[in-house]
Amino acid sequence: MLWIKAFHIIFVVTWFAGLFYLPRLFVYHAQQPPNDTVALLKIMERRLMVMTHIGGGLAAFFGLWMLSLGWEAYLSQGWMHLKLVLVAMLAGYHFWCRQLTIAFARDDNRHSEKWYRLFNEIPSVILIAVVILVVVKPF
Ligand code: HEM
């Protein structure tokens, strides 16, 4: 269980690295930089999205593995219910980033730089809430 938890945390960190940095790239991209910078940003966004898929997929794999080992105990705990709701929201954010990466690749961005700065705050709020839930287990 401790090995599984260690790998769960390693891939959660990888996942968040992507979810924090992708919207930063979107902020730069939305500033309408010169063409060569746009081409570089598209490559960076595509590669970072792949890394984020791997991190998210493996974090979920190891998390579900732990969940399967203590299924009954975990599902009777309120903090785990709320954690899973927040993780579902994080997965939604992840796929929203994927849609935005595709839109930028097609030169079809529809949001402002300021919008991306606000969008960038969402994973921080989820991270703080989930870490408090799993460590403090307040209910
Ligand atoms: C499909 C997604 C996920 C599932 C099924 C899952 C499930 C689990 C389970 C069953 C544990 C063991 C809890 C315990 O026995 O104390 C755990 C630990 C942990 N999870 Fe997740 N998790 C998921 C995603 C996440 C995410 C997105 C984060 C961070 C935002 C996260 C952060 C942690 C941390 C820090 C621990 C270690 C807690 C401790 O032992 O103190 N997990 N997870």
Side-chain angles (χ1 to χ4, degrees):
M1 178 83 162
L2 288 179
W3 279 99
I4 308 173
K5 194 182 280 189
F7 281 98
H8 177 58
I9 294 171
I10 290 165
F11 290 111
V12 163
V13 173
T14 314
W15 192 10
F16 270 93
L19 294 180
F20 282 146
Y21 204 63
L22 262 170
R24 289 301 310 168
L25 294 179
F26 297 158
V27 169
Y28 303 136
H29 207 148
Q31 289 169 347
Q32 295 173 331
N35 284 349
D36 52 344
T37 309
V38 167
L40 185 62
L41 283 167
K42 284 182 186 177
I43 295 170
M44 291 169 78
E45 284 157 2
R46 196 178 65 236
R47 291 189 180 160
L48 190 57
M49 195 68 248
V50 171
M51 190 202 84
T52 312
H53 286 324
I54 294 170
L58 289 172
F61 172 77
F62 286 106
L64 291 170
W65 190 354
M66 281 190 288
L67 204 59
S68 72
L69 297 176
W71 189 254
E72 286 185 14
Y74 285 132
L75 291 191
S76 65
Q77 286 160 342
W79 62 270
M80 181 54 90
H81 290 180
L82 186 53
K83 172 180 172 170
L84 293 177
V85 169
L86 290 167
V87 171
M89 289 165 68
L90 193 67
Y93 182 85
H94 176 124
F95 287 102
W96 198 355
C97 284
R98 179 174 173 272
Q99 290 311 109
L100 293 167
T101 302
I102 292 169
F104 272 118
R106 294 179 181 153
D107 298 314
D108 187 27
N109 169 43
R110 291 156 193 227
H111 304 288
S112 67
E113 177 194 338
K114 190 164 176 237
W115 189 91
Y116 287 110
R117 286 185 194 280
L118 286 172
F119 180 73
N120 198 188
E121 300 304 325
I122 297 172
S124 321
V125 176
I126 296 180
L127 176 68
I128 293 166
V130 172
V131 170
I132 291 173
L133 282 174
V134 291
V135 174
V136 181
K137 299 182 172 62
F139 47 85

